[in-house]
């Protein structure tokens, strides 16, 4: 039965349900360290079920130690110390089994200012997940440093040479050097754009500004741009179906999705790159496929992760962020994307986006 006592706290039965809904582990003790509640997440993280923990002292069931082997609960000392203490910051701790957890605590006092500790709320987070996130961030920093070094070295070198020896070069030599600087500056700009996209995707701050978009027209424009840049026109084929529904999409992001998928097909695949656009039950499906070696089925779940560069291709290059960004942009439109083997034997990336007019479309 749910209810609340006179000062607004939820009664025990309702509280048990609430703490089991929390995504992080939670252990609650009284002021002396006797465990009074353990949620499902804490039981899963520690391997200690609630019925084995409740009623026992914290150190008997959850003997957390720091990296130097020191007793965390003893250092916390809820019964001693300054009466102004209200929390212990999150830090990595170990249980005897060896698993690492990030543990923080809040000392609940009565009265709130300067009173005795009535209970201690302890939160637990998976140390393995945190370590993976930190490794991912370290990989990102390493990748960015590597990708920036080459173009910035080129820009610096050519600029310094031109400034020091301007009169010694012909106009044609100057033009070639400046074109190289311009291309390398574009490369840096693209990398920065990718990093901003990754940040927005991971934080859920990616904005979709919808308008009516002609998908076949965007694909034709993309192909025309690659041909104008020097690629053979016969390298590309566009198949667009009839009676496509009206599509409200973010035009810039759709261009980015198509551009990244075509770039991936050109870089990693061989033969003709085909873009097929067709109507499906709930929207439009777009397939981009090549005639190369394709992607092994066991690798398919990895291709949309950060830093995936694919196969053994010597031409792979890049940051490995392109397909991760594509997946984020497609999902921001309410769509899905998958990869499979193409009929010609290469890789086929197929994304589907829903049709219909959005409630808050921006023209």
């Amino acid at each position: 039965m749910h209810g609340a006592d006179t000062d607004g706290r939820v009664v025990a039965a309702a509280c048990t349900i609430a703490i089991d809904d929390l995504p992080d582990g939670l252990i609650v003790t009284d002021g002396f360290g006797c465990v009074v509640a353990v949620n499902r997440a804490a039981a899963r993280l520690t391997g200690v079920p609630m019925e084995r923990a409740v009623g026992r002292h914290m150190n008997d069931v959850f003997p957390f130690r720091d990296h130097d082997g020191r007793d965390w609960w003893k250092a916390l000392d809820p019964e001693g110390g300054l009466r102004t203490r209200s929390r212990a910051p999150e830090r990595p701790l170990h249980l005897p089994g060896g698993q690492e957890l990030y543990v923080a605590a809040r000392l609940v006092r009565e009265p709130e200012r300067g009173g005795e500790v009535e209970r201690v709320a302890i939160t637990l987070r998976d140390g393995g997940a945190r370590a993976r996130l930190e490794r991912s961030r370290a990989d990102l920093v390493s990748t960015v440093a590597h990708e920036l070094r080459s173009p910035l070295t080129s820009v610096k070198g050519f600029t310094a040479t031109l400034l020091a020896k301007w009169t010694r070069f012909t106009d044609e030599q100057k033009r070639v050097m400046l074109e190289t600087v311009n291309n390398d500056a574009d490369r840096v700009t693209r990398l920065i754009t990718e990093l901003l996209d990754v940040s927005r995707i991971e934080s859920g701050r990616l904005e979709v500004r919808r308008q009516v978009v002609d998908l076949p027209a965007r694909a034709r424009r993309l192909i025309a741009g690659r041909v104008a840049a020097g690629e053979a026109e016969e390298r590309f084929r566009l198949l667009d179906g009839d009676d496509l529904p009206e599509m409200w999409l973010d035009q810039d992001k759709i261009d980015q999705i198509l551009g990244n998928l075509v770039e991936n097909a050109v870089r990693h695949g061989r033969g003709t790159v085909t873009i097929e656009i067709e109507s499906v039950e709930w929207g439009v499906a777009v397939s981009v496929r090549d005639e190369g070696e394709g992607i092994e089925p066991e690798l398919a779940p990895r291709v949309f992760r950060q830093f995936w560069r694919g196969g053994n291709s010597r031409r792979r290059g890049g940051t490995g962020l392109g397909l991760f960004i594509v997946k984020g942009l497609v999902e921001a439109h309410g769509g899905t994307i998958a990869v499979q083997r193409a009929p010609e034997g290469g890789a086929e990336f197929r994304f589907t986006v829903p049709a219909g007019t959005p409630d808050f479309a921006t023209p």
Side-chain angles (χ1 to χ4, degrees), residues 29-106:
T29 77
D30 63 18
F32 303 102
C34 181
V35 177
V36 297
V38 178
N39 74 347
R40 278 196 290 260
R44 174 178 53 80
L45 289 169
T46 62
V48 180
M50 179 183 67
E51 57 271 16
R52 212 177 90 202
V54 172
R56 300 178 63 189
H57 192 273
M58 184 72 183
N59 258 349
D60 293 335
V61 282
F62 302 111
F64 290 115
R65 298 290 187 272
D66 65 16
H67 290 303
D68 295 321
R70 289 187 292 259
D71 183 328
W72 176 77
W73 182 262
K74 184 177 180 181
L76 181 65
D77 189 19
E79 299 176 64
L82 297 174
R83 288 177 176 262
T84 55
R85 287 190 309 146
S86 62
R87 64 185 63 247
E90 187 176 70
R91 58 184 302 186
L93 300 173
H94 295 273
L95 286 172
Q99 67 266 44
E100 183 181 65
L101 298 173
Y102 280 80
V103 181
R106 180 170 183 268

Side-chain angles (χ1 to χ4, degrees), residues 298-335:
E298 61 270 20
L299 296 179
R302 306 180 194 174
V303 301
F304 298 108
R305 296 178 185 173
Q306 292 184 33
F307 315 118
W308 189 86
R309 294 184 175 87
N312 296 317
S313 172
R314 294 180 180 178
R315 298 172 291 167
R316 59 181 182 260
T319 60
L321 297 174
L323 293 177
F324 173 81
I325 292 171
V326 164
K327 184 175 186 289
L329 297 180
V330 169
E331 291 178 347
H333 283 86

Side-chain angles (χ1 to χ4, degrees), residues 190-233:
R190 284 195 299 272
L191 176 60
I192 292 171
T193 300
E194 285 186 344
L195 294 174
L196 290 173
D197 286 336
V198 168
S199 174
R200 293 187 185 110
I201 289 168
E202 290 187 329
S203 63
R205 293 185 290 106
L206 194 67
E207 293 184 6
V208 176
R209 302 181 182 277
R210 297 180 185 266
Q211 60 182 355
V212 177
V213 173
D214 185 337
L215 277 172
R218 305 316 297 175
R220 284 192 291 270
R221 182 177 180 274
L222 171 63
I223 292 172
R226 297 197 71 105
V227 171
E231 295 183 36
E233 187 173 359

